[in-house]
């Protein structure tokens, strides 16, 4: 396994686990409401903090306002974990579209 494959493996493991981080589940919970539209299988919907639209769970992301950043070496690990497992003030629910726009902006900033 190459160095970069190794760190990408660790990164995705940490990201997966962060879905069960309390401030993240709490953030999602606060953006959630009962769905009353025509789709029979959809029970809940979530509000995007950017466009204020309502979306099914599959179409939303809990976004780190201050991104967790890169994890490419052992020295990145500490700061990455601290940013990933952050407090709720640094979290927001975004729809796919708004999340992609934000991610693109963050990439071009560098
Ligand atoms: Zn949105």
């Amino acid at each position: 396994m190459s160095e970069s494959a190794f760190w990408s493996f660790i990164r995705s493991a940490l990201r997966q686990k962060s879905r069960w981080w309390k401030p993240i589940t709490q953030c999602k919970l606060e953006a959630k409401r009962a769905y009353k539209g025509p789709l029979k299988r959809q029970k809940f919907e979530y509000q995007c903090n950017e466009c204020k639209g309502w979306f099914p769970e599959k179409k939303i992301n809990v976004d780190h306002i201050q991104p967790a950043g890169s994890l490419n070496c052992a020295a990145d690990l500490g700061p990455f974990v601290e940013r990933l497992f952050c407090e709720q003030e640094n979290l927001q629910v975004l729809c796919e579209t708004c999340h992609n726009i934000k991610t693109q902006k963050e990439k071009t900033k560098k």
Side-chain angles (χ1 to χ4, degrees), residues 34-71:
Y35 171 76
K36 301 224 159 61
L39 297 169
K40 284 222 164 76
R41 285 199 198 144
Q42 194 179 335
K43 291 210 168 88
F44 302 102
E45 59 185 355
Y46 298 81
Q47 188 173 35
C48 171
N49 193 40
E50 187 67 34
C51 65
K52 306 295 174 194
W54 292 89
F55 301 88
E57 186 169 15
K58 272 190 238 157
K59 297 277 177 192
I60 57 119
N61 288 285
V62 177
D63 173 64
H64 287 71
I65 297 168
Q66 165 89 16
S70 55
L71 174 57

Side-chain angles (χ1 to χ4, degrees), residues 67-72 83 103-110:
S70 55
L71 174 57
N72 302 310
R83 285 189 301 259
T103 313
Q104 279 311 316
K105 273 189 197 156
E106 281 159 8
K107 272 186 196 154
T108 53
K109 240 192 276 174
K110 277 178 191 168

Side-chain angles (χ1 to χ4, degrees), residues 1 10 14 37 53-54 61 77-78 85 88:
M1 193 183 242
I10 300 290
L14 286 168
W54 292 89
N61 288 285
L77 192 56
F85 296 91
Q88 213 183 323

